[in-house]
Amino acid sequence: MEIDQIVSLTKAANGDDPIVGLGAAAEVRREMERLEAVLVRRARVQGHTWASIATVLGISKQAVHKKYGGRSLFREQD
């Protein structure tokens, strides 16, 4: 997803129609989850620890490892 699309979705989320806004917010959330997963994978490949990643994300080391740890971290993303 391009940054322009995220900006458009954010504008839609702030519009008058709450249903359109909810759909846009859900799409932005999905994209941010995907981006976070990619960045966590890149950080791990570069040798960053789970603790350093967790600190940046503002969650526990256990939480970030549970969400992104294991072999699934290195699977191809669709």
Side-chain angles (χ1 to χ4, degrees):
M1 178 173 285
E2 299 286 326
I3 192 71
D4 293 337
Q5 292 171 306
I6 294 171
V7 170
S8 293
L9 286 169
T10 303
K11 287 179 182 177
N14 289 318
D16 293 333
D17 187 337
I19 297 300
V20 171
L22 285 169
E27 183 64 26
V28 169
R29 183 176 45 252
R30 284 188 292 272
E31 182 60 22
M32 292 299 100
E33 287 288 327
R34 186 199 67 76
L35 177 59
E36 183 176 288
V38 167
L39 293 171
V40 167
R41 182 176 60 228
R42 286 177 50 199
R44 290 294 294 158
V45 166
Q46 291 180 9
H48 294 278
T49 65
W50 289 114
S52 67
I53 295 167
T55 297
V56 170
L57 293 176
I59 60 177
S60 71
K61 178 176 71 170
Q62 293 81 7
V64 76
H65 188 265
K66 181 177 180 180
K67 186 171 183 179
Y68 297 111
R71 291 179 293 165
S72 64
L73 180 67
F74 298 100
R75 278 197 320 234
E76 286 295 315
Q77 298 287 320
D78 293 331

